Amino acid sequence: MHALLIIAHGSRRAESNEEIKALTAQVAMRANKHFDLVDCAFLELAAPLIPDGVNSLVERGATSIVVVPYFLAKGAHVRDDIPEAVALAQAAHPDITITVSNYFGAADIVPDALTELAIAAAHP
Amino acid sequence: MHALLIIAHGSRRAESNEEIKALTAQVAMRANKHFDLVDCAFLELAAPLIPDGVNSLVERGATSIVVVPYFLAKGAHVRDDIPEAVALAQAAHPDITITVSNYFGAADIVPDALTELAIAAAHP
């Protein structure tokens, strides 16, 4: 079973974490031909944390997991913290294939999306 | 003259700020039918800060400025800090129309973009 795990930073504000869960549900609908399981986890400040998110997917039958860092910049979280957490999860589940995608801010579509948002704001 | 100002958080890492400048250049190419001037500014930690970014656009002839917060979540920066900085800039330039768009994470296209990134990572 193929799984997708969206990793967000996590916030002390419950609303921000709920935003991520709502986004995850939207992605799940769009990606259901490619992923049997779609969930989110947080680097810090909110549950589930990355190890718990991976464990939960494995318990539900995931055999491969694509991890997508939902971050805009290649800061320490993207460069160090997420790969480290994923490496630990991989060591705990050696039979599962875990792949980390590029972070969201590097996606080719981001300049288009930002342009679209700006133009919409200029012509309300 | 219509101007677009992309607001990012700003980082102590020069590379992260350079990433924003490169993204701004990509948006400028895409949005050139809608905006005569496109620039970026930072909430903190990097130059130009928001007041300097607005001043620079006004000096270059901007009569209207669309401000796009390049943030993923509706945290305190999006809810409070950016509107406050923009209100001060608006007060300093009462003849200029300054509009703040929704923040990037709320853009309709974000779930599509995130889905595309995840699918690409699953089928490399």
Side-chain angles (χ1 to χ4, degrees), chain A residues 4-8 20 23-24 27 38-41 66 68 70, chain B residues 114:
Chain A
L4 168 61
L5 188 64
I6 297 169
I7 306 291
I20 299 301
L23 173 63
T24 300
V27 172
V38 177
D39 214 335
C40 59
V66 170
V68 177
Y70 186 54
Chain B
L114 192 53

Side-chain angles (χ1 to χ4, degrees), chain A residues 4 6 13 16 19-20 23 26-28 30-31 34-35 66-76 79 99-119 121-123, chain B residues 4 6 13 16 19-20 23 26-28 30-31 34-35 66-76 79 99-119 121-123:
Chain A
L4 168 61
I6 297 169
R13 286 181 67 247
S16 290
E19 244 185 282
I20 299 301
L23 173 63
Q26 289 187 286
V27 172
R30 288 164 169 78
H34 300 268
F35 297 102
V66 170
V67 172
V68 177
Y70 186 54
F71 286 73
L72 289 180
K74 198 178 181 173
R79 277 178 304 139
T99 311
V100 182
S101 82
N102 211 340
Y103 61 106
F104 181 66
D108 289 338
I109 205 175
V110 162
D112 290 338
L114 191 53
T115 302
E116 191 176 289
L117 179 63
I119 292 172
H123 306 285
Chain B
L4 168 61
I6 297 168
R13 286 181 67 247
S16 290
E19 244 185 281
I20 300 299
L23 173 63
Q26 289 187 286
V27 171
R30 288 164 168 77
H34 300 267
F35 297 102
V66 170
V67 172
V68 176
Y70 186 54
F71 286 72
L72 288 181
K74 197 178 182 174
R79 276 178 305 139
T99 310
V100 182
S101 83
N102 211 341
Y103 62 105
F104 181 65
D108 289 338
I109 204 173
V110 163
D112 290 339
L114 192 53
T115 302
E116 192 176 290
L117 179 63
I119 292 172
H123 306 285

Side-chain angles (χ1 to χ4, degrees), chain B:
Chain B
M1 288 180 89
H2 300 299
L4 168 61
L5 188 63
I6 297 168
I7 307 291
H9 186 281
S11 171
R12 288 183 185 82
R13 286 181 67 247
E15 296 93 324
S16 290
N17 303 324
E18 289 303 321
E19 244 185 281
I20 300 299
K21 289 174 188 172
L23 173 63
T24 300
Q26 289 187 286
V27 171
M29 284 190 297
R30 288 164 168 77
N32 62 4
K33 287 182 186 159
H34 300 267
F35 297 102
D36 307 297
L37 300 164
V38 177
D39 214 337
C40 59
F42 299 95
L43 183 63
E44 58 188 35
L45 301 175
L49 295 173
I50 296 174
D52 299 323
V54 170
N55 289 345
S56 167
L57 289 172
V58 172
E59 280 164 16
R60 284 179 276 163
T63 52
S64 77
I65 302 176
V66 170
V67 172
V68 176
Y70 186 54
F71 286 72
L72 288 181
K74 197 178 182 174
H77 294 322
V78 167
R79 276 178 305 139
D80 303 328
D81 302 338
I82 292 174
E84 279 170 24
V86 169
L88 287 172
Q90 179 68 82
H93 302 286
D95 298 338
I96 309 297
T97 305
I98 307 182
T99 310
V100 182
S101 83
N102 211 341
Y103 62 105
F104 181 65
D108 289 338
I109 204 173
V110 163
D112 290 339
L114 192 53
T115 302
E116 192 176 290
L117 179 63
I119 292 172
H123 306 285

